Each structure stands twice: as structure tokens, then as C-alpha cells.
Amino acid sequence: MKLKVIITGATGMVGEGVLQECIKNPAVEKILLINRKPTGYSHPKIEEILHGNFNDISPVADRIKGYDACYFCLGISSVGMKEPDYYAVTYTLTLNFATALAGQNPQMTFCYVSGAGTDSTEQGRQMWARVKGKTENDLLKLPFKAVYNFRPAVMRPTKGARNVKGIYRAILLLFPLFRAFNGTYFLTLEEVGKAMIHIVLQGNPRPVVEVNDIARLSKFGASADKTAP
């Protein structure tokens, strides 16, 4: 099976890492990037749409049909944000985009980048975890073929990545030590990308994909890379 995928957030570190894996993986034949600004990437697989309002994608609705998967990597940090502002971007924008996408692609698999520690009960004390939990829960109600909520923790950027924030440059240097301390909690974005591709091809028993699940699924993706023609 050859995949046609949509990626959002490819101008950020996580989205760029997933994009790099999709470019490399022979199972992915077409990549549609939807961003507010150009990624700077050029490849025969890539088509790019610049669109400023993710709450309303009706102007590009005719260009988002016929895709097998969406890797929704768009997101912001909650640091310094009030709950209504964080909610507007993390929940409202995501659900508006996903709802429109489901209407065009009912056979699509939607992969949402959430985070380790997300609160599925929506009742916890941490604001970001409650909002992420509600986002995950309501995405599962949409009429997609499948929805998977990925909950990575600390991630190492892929070599050659352009969108790496200062703190992650330090992680690049210390990652071997972190990884030796905990072989799964500290993931690479290569592993996240491989796991996302694999889960679209093969599925997963549970919609919530925790750190250990990502590490496990990435190994299947790595095997597929080696055996693919």
C-alpha cells in the first residue's frame, strides 16, 4: 500500500521530523503540507499549501480529498499562556481542522501529536493536560477510519533539522546519556515518524499511543524500511 499523507506543523520541530521520515519512507508516495509559512523543503513527493486560517479550511477543501492519513503536528507550548488562549489553539483549532478533514476523507487515519501526561479524564490540575485530554477525546468522536493520539515525551531532533529550539540543541548533546538512563522515554523524532507511518499501515489495538508504544511501533517501521523495494 502506498500512502498519501497530509502533515501540519512541518515548520516546527516535530512536524519537520515526521516530514523527513515520510520523505525517506518508500511506503509514502505523496505528502501534502499545509502551513502558514513555507517549509523550505522541495521534493517530488511534496505539495505545499500556504493557508493562514486553520479554523476554516474551506478555501482549500477541494485540495485535501483522497488522502490516507493526516499527521497533525501543529501545536504550541502552554508556558505563560492563559487557559482560554491555549484552548483556542490546542482544542478549537485542532477540532475545526479535523472536522473539515473528516468530511472530505472518511477513510482517513488521523494521528494527533499530544503529549506524555495528557489527562484523559479532563479533570486534573494541570491546564495543558486537561485541554489535551479533551482534544484527544473529541477527536475520537469524529468519523475517521481511525484516530491515534500520540503521547511522546522528550524527543531528539532528526539530523539536519532546521526547526530546533535552543533547549533541544542541548538535548542533542546529552541525548546519549538520557537514552542510556531510559531507553524508551527519550525518543528520537525518527522513531516517532516511523511509528506514525507504521500505525497507518497496520493499525494499533489502542487509540492512545504512549511513549513505550511509539518505541515499539518504530521498530516495525524500521524493518519495513529495510525490506521495502
Side-chain angles (χ1 to χ4, degrees):
M1 180 180 178
K2 297 291 185 179
L3 299 178
K4 297 179 181 179
V5 306
I6 294 173
I7 303 176
T8 69
T11 55
M13 188 186 79
V14 177
E16 182 182 15
V18 174
L19 169 61
Q20 288 173 316
E21 288 308 305
C22 287
I23 290 173
K24 290 190 295 184
N25 196 305
V28 179
E29 68 174 0
K30 183 176 180 180
I31 305 164
L32 177 64
L33 304 178
I34 306 179
N35 301 303
R36 294 187 179 93
K37 60 182 180 179
T39 60
Y41 276 81
S42 178
H43 190 275
K45 290 184 180 181
I46 294 175
E47 178 184 352
E48 191 163 17
I49 295 175
L50 299 183
H51 184 67
N53 183 7
F54 274 62
N55 282 301
D56 179 13
I57 60 171
S58 58
V60 298
D62 60 331
R63 300 176 65 182
I64 60 172
K65 295 179 182 179
Y67 285 85
D68 304 297
C70 176
Y71 300 131
F72 194 91
C73 306
L74 182 67
I76 57 171
S77 170
S78 65
V79 176
M81 294 192 73
K82 294 182 178 180
E83 184 162 349
D85 297 328
Y86 185 72
Y87 186 96
V89 176
T90 301
Y91 176 83
T92 305
L93 182 149
T94 304
L95 264 292
N96 285 343
F97 184 91
T99 300
L101 206 58
Q104 299 287 354
N105 300 279
Q107 292 304 306
M108 171 178 278
T109 297
F110 191 91
C111 296
Y112 173 61
V113 178
S114 186
T118 292
D119 177 16
S120 297
T121 72
E122 306 176 30
Q123 302 298 317
R125 299 179 67 180
Q126 294 190 69
M127 178 271 286
W128 75 265
R130 292 195 309 271
V131 175
K132 285 276 192 180
K134 180 172 177 55
T135 304
E136 287 188 358
N137 291 339
D138 287 356
L139 283 172
L140 290 170
K141 299 173 185 176
L142 296 179
F144 286 111
K145 175 184 177 182
V147 173
Y148 295 106
N149 295 310
F150 278 70
R151 294 182 176 181
V154 180
M155 293 171 283
R156 184 186 70 182
T158 306
K159 184 177 181 180
R162 306 167 186 175
N163 302 295
V164 183
K165 295 181 179 179
I167 187 172
Y168 284 96
R169 296 187 187 281
I171 288 173
L172 280 171
L173 297 175
L174 297 173
F175 188 83
L177 178 62
F178 293 152
R179 187 71 172 224
F181 175 73
N182 189 318
T184 55
Y185 185 82
F186 296 94
L187 297 167
T188 68
L189 272 168
E190 180 179 8
E191 289 171 322
V192 174
K194 287 182 185 298
M196 284 188 163
I197 294 168
H198 177 77
I199 211 168
V200 174
L201 291 169
Q202 300 295 335
N204 195 60
R206 298 191 320 120
V208 174
V209 188
E210 301 283 6
V211 176
N212 287 345
D213 300 318
I214 296 171
R216 173 180 56 82
L217 291 167
S218 73
K219 293 181 174 62
F220 293 105
S223 299
D225 284 351
K226 292 176 183 177
T227 59

